[in-house]
């Protein structure tokens, strides 16, 4: 007799009660620091106006002296303090020949994020979701504080990389823990209104802190210390009963469910989990799947490649637009705040539409419209800076809305047997894109509209490619490789191959 499904066994808890409300809010709150961890570089590493202290050197920033007889700025640089008391740029002279270190610093952060995407899943599966969540939050806090006392740029970037590792790991641990603790009808709300909106709230807090704290060390300290408030959450956020069951720790899982029932005012059954095999591992099913299964058949190859490319290009546009706020006309603090509020609007709009509008339309439409809007920016006269900002925010709205749906759609496209690996590959491509993205705003120092042109082209390409994605709304999740949908090809050649692909997929599921 087959074991009951976990959701069926725990259905007596109800969908929405004090227990679920507490988990939803506390895990969402744990996401807030992730919203400003990397984006803080917009203010920490901004470059104010500067000129050479040496009277013999050309004062137009990085130009060589006309006679060429001596090195420029032998007496160092002088920086404007009109907007900032200091930044890492002014402290370590990251200008002219060293200006490349500014975008490289943020790329190093995303290298840490990329490392976290590789390791966090394995750590979470081995040590538990709750343990990894709090351990990596502590890592992020300690490394941020060590950045504050950095004595040179090299020390700063080493601990920034480790901060990125902690940030991605605790983000993913919180997402997985919430998905496993909440009922299936609440998981969509948690992924959009919980994780995404609270991330944007953290992003919105950044310009408010930065406006009043104009020294980079004080700002970074103020952004780091709130993590101490999360220590008491250890006693309020439970471990995942699903994970405990997978480790054979049935009694601990039952204790958590019984505590949840008490919070909800419900009397649980005398025995909740009748056997310890409620959650079966893939190894017990007799079939072992590897990353090779993502490319073994034509359907899976196409699906994996398509999603990887769309994730890669969309991430470049998203982070590129977030990091471009200092280069926009107007006040950088207001621009950053508008950028964050645009994200909140995008997530709320997505939540309102996702239950009635096809997934593909919510990805393709915003990407194409957002990309086309960005391509209009070069046509805006220089005197209309507010129009440029408005167009950039509209583009950001489209990219953000599409990205939030892309995460859900991709999870629904991959079959259960390789879903984790498929999402891992897409996440890896996304992190590679985020590593490249800081150099796009950097191009704005040479041509202010060039970053928008490049991001607009990439966004349009991502939108056109997303047309090929199979629709997943109101369609049962695929469980086996043979249940994967074909891409939305327009050519007859691909349709003629479906019969051959089907036979290959049937063989793959039996291997």
């Amino acid at each position: 007799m087959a074991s009951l499904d976990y959701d069926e066994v725990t259905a007596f808890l109800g969908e929405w009660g004090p227990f679920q409300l507490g988990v939803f809010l506390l895990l969402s709150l744990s996401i807030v620091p992730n919203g400003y961890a990397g984006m803080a570089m917009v203010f920490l590493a901004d470059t104010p106006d500067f000129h050479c202290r040496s009277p013999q050197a050309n004062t137009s920033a990085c130009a060589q002296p006309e006679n060429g007889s001596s090195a420029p700025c032998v007496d160092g640089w002088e920086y404007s303090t009109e907007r900032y008391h200091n930044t890492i740029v002014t402290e370590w002279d990251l200008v002219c020949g060293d200006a490349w270190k500014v975008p490289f610093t943020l790329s190093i952060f995303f290298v840490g994020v990329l490392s976290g995407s590789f390791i966090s899943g394995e750590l979470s599966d081995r040590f538990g979701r709750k343990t990894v969540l709090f351990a990596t939050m502590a890592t992020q806090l300690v490394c941020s504080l060590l950045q504050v006392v950095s004595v040179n740029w090299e020390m700063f970037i080493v601990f920034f990389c480790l901060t990125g590792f902690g940030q991605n790991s605790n983000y993913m641990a919180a997402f997985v823990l919430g998905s496993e603790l909440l009922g299936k009808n609440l998981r969509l709300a948690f992924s959009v209104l919980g994780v995404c909106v609270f991330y944007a709230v953290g992003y919105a807090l950044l310009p408010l802190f930065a406006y009043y704290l104009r020294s980079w060390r004080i700002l970074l300290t103020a952004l780091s210390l709130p993590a101490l408030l999360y220590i008491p959450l250890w006693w309020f956020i439970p471990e995942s009963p699903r994970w405990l069951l997978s480790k054979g720790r049935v009694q601990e899982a039952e204790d958590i469910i019984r505590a949840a029932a008490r919070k909800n005012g419900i009397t649980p059954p005398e025995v909740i989990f009748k056997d310890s095999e409620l959650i079966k591992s893939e190894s017990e099913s007799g079939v072992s799947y590897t990353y090779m299964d993502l490319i073994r058949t034509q359907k899976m190859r196409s699906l994996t490649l398509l999603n990887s490319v769309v994730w890669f290009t969309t991430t470049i546009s998203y982070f590129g637009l977030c990091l471009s706020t200092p280069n926009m006309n107007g006040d950088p603090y207001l621009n950053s705040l508008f950028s964050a509020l645009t994200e909140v609007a995008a997530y709320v709009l997505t939540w309102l539409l996702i239950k009635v509008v096809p997934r593909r339309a919510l990805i393709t439409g915003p990407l194409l419209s957002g990309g086309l809007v960005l391509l209009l920016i070069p046509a805006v006269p220089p005197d209309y800076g507010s129009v440029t900002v408005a167009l950039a925010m509209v583009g950001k709205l489209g990219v953000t809305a599409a990205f939030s749906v892309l995460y859900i759609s991709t999870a629904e496209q991959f079959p259960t047997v390789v879903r984790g690996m498929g999402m891992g590959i897409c996440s890896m491509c996304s992190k590679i894109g985020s590593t490249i993205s800081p150099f796009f705003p950097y191009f704005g120092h040479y041509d202010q509209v060039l970053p928008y042109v490049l991001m607009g082209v990439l966004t349009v390409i991502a939108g056109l490619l997303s047309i090929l994605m199979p629709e997943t709304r109101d369609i049962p999740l695929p469980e086996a490789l043979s249940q994967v949908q074909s891409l939305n090809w327009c050519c007859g050649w691909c349709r003629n191959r479906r019969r051959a692909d089907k036979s290959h997929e049937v063989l793959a599921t039996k291997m």
Side-chain angles (χ1 to χ4, degrees):
M1 181 177 175
S3 299
L4 290 175
D5 178 79
Y6 176 89
D7 289 320
E8 295 175 358
V9 172
T10 58
F12 67 87
L13 288 174
E15 277 291 328
W16 190 250
F19 170 75
Q20 290 90 343
L21 177 62
V23 168
F24 188 102
L25 290 178
L26 293 179
L27 286 176
S28 297
L29 284 171
S30 75
I31 298 292
V32 171
N34 296 318
Y36 54 69
M39 299 301 180
M41 283 294 290
V42 168
F43 301 104
L44 299 177
D46 197 11
T47 303
D49 293 334
F50 63 96
H51 61 269
C52 292
R53 286 199 184 99
S54 173
Q56 291 81 20
N58 192 324
T59 58
S60 61
C62 300
Q64 291 279 352
E66 292 182 5
N67 57 17
S69 60
S70 62
C73 296
V74 291
D75 296 323
W77 302 97
E78 197 164 294
Y79 300 91
S80 168
T81 57
E82 180 181 358
R83 180 172 295 163
Y84 306 104
H85 297 319
N86 57 67
T87 67
I88 67 168
V89 173
T90 66
E91 179 145 349
W92 295 311
D93 290 329
L94 307 183
V95 294
C96 298
D98 288 329
W100 62 270
K101 292 182 179 179
V102 176
F104 182 76
T105 300
L106 194 51
S107 292
I108 287 295
F109 171 82
F110 286 120
V111 168
V113 172
L114 177 60
S115 302
S117 68
F118 277 118
I119 302 173
S120 60
E122 182 178 350
L123 293 176
S124 183
D125 287 341
R126 177 176 297 184
F127 299 107
R129 285 68 163 112
K130 177 180 175 179
T131 301
V132 170
L133 170 63
F134 284 91
T136 52
M137 286 177 68
T139 300
Q140 187 173 347
L141 168 63
V142 171
C143 292
S144 293
L145 292 176
L146 287 172
Q147 282 182 269
V148 172
V149 297
S150 296
V151 296
N152 52 45
W153 174 73
E154 290 77 12
M155 179 179 174
F156 183 89
I157 64 170
V158 167
F159 288 109
F160 203 24
C161 182
L162 294 174
T163 299
F165 172 85
Q167 187 222 30
N168 186 76
S169 299
N170 70 54
Y171 181 94
M172 293 305 298
F175 181 84
V176 172
L177 183 56
S179 299
E180 294 181 347
L181 282 170
L182 299 172
K184 55 186 176 183
N185 293 330
L186 277 179
R187 289 171 201 152
L188 184 61
F190 177 69
S191 64
V192 179
L193 296 182
V195 173
C196 293
V197 170
F198 278 75
Y199 177 93
V201 168
Y203 184 15
L205 291 174
L206 172 61
L208 301 180
F209 275 87
Y211 181 79
Y212 292 102
L213 305 173
R214 303 297 180 101
S215 171
W216 78 265
R217 292 184 192 270
I218 297 174
L219 174 58
L220 188 54
T221 301
L223 294 174
S224 303
L225 290 180
L228 294 172
L229 300 175
Y230 292 100
I231 294 176
L233 298 188
W234 175 269
W235 289 274
F236 295 94
I237 297 177
E239 181 56 270
S240 166
R242 291 176 182 264
W243 179 79
L244 290 169
L245 287 169
S246 71
K247 299 298 182 181
R249 296 157 64 176
V250 181
Q251 187 58 52
E252 293 177 62
E254 281 212 7
D255 291 342
I256 291 173
I257 299 300
R258 291 186 187 281
R262 286 195 299 271
K263 287 184 180 179
N264 287 354
I266 296 170
T267 302
E270 291 185 10
V271 178
I272 298 177
F273 302 118
K274 293 184 173 61
D275 61 71
S276 60
E277 296 181 352
L278 183 63
I279 306 296
K280 293 183 178 294
S281 66
E282 288 185 0
S283 60
E284 292 173 331
S285 67
V287 180
S288 178
Y289 294 92
T290 68
Y291 281 98
M292 289 301 298
D293 288 291
L294 295 175
I295 58 173
R296 195 179 300 278
T297 65
Q298 179 64 38
K299 275 187 184 180
M300 288 304 305
R301 279 195 299 273
S302 301
L303 192 72
T304 302
L305 180 61
L306 173 63
N307 280 281
S308 297
V309 172
V310 173
W311 277 63
F312 173 78
T313 53
T314 305
T315 302
I316 290 177
S317 298
Y318 170 77
F319 281 108
L321 288 168
C322 289
L323 300 172
S324 292
T325 49
N327 298 334
M328 296 178 183
N329 293 292
D331 189 286
Y333 301 100
L334 285 177
N335 290 342
S336 182
L337 180 61
F338 291 152
S339 179
L341 295 178
T342 298
E343 288 205 20
V344 175
Y347 296 136
V348 173
L349 184 62
T350 297
W351 169 247
L352 294 175
L353 295 176
I354 198 167
K355 292 187 176 181
V356 295
V357 178
R359 306 279 198 263
R360 187 168 59 213
L362 286 177
I363 298 172
T364 302
L367 284 177
L368 289 178
S369 57
L372 291 174
V373 166
L374 292 176
L375 290 175
L376 292 176
I377 290 179
V380 178
D383 296 336
Y384 292 83
S386 58
V387 177
T388 299
V389 174
L391 291 175
M393 294 304 166
V394 172
K396 172 81 179 301
L397 178 72
V399 171
T400 303
F403 209 176
S404 63
V405 181
L406 182 62
Y407 198 98
I408 297 168
S409 174
T410 302
E412 293 173 340
Q413 291 176 48
F414 284 102
T416 300
V417 292
V418 292
R419 185 170 295 125
M421 289 181 283
M423 292 296 291
I425 289 293
C426 292
S427 178
M428 181 191 71
C429 293
S430 170
K431 300 307 181 289
I432 294 173
S434 62
T435 303
I436 298 172
S437 63
F439 288 93
F440 280 70
Y442 180 68
F443 296 148
H445 293 293
Y446 303 98
D447 186 334
Q448 196 168 14
V449 300
L450 179 59
Y452 300 110
V453 173
L454 296 175
M455 290 183 287
V457 170
L458 287 176
T459 304
V460 169
I461 290 173
L464 293 173
L465 289 174
S466 68
I467 297 174
L468 301 176
M469 288 183 173
E471 180 54 51
T472 58
R473 177 173 166 258
D474 295 331
I475 293 178
L477 287 177
E479 300 291 341
L481 297 179
S482 59
Q483 298 173 336
V484 173
Q485 296 188 69
S486 299
L487 298 191
N488 186 38
W489 295 111
C490 300
C491 59
W493 176 82
C494 297
R495 288 194 297 268
N496 292 335
R497 289 185 57 100
R498 289 179 182 173
R499 182 176 299 176
D501 289 341
K502 186 175 181 180
S503 63
H504 286 301
E505 288 158 4
V506 170
L507 289 173
T509 59
K510 294 180 179 179
M511 289 181 63

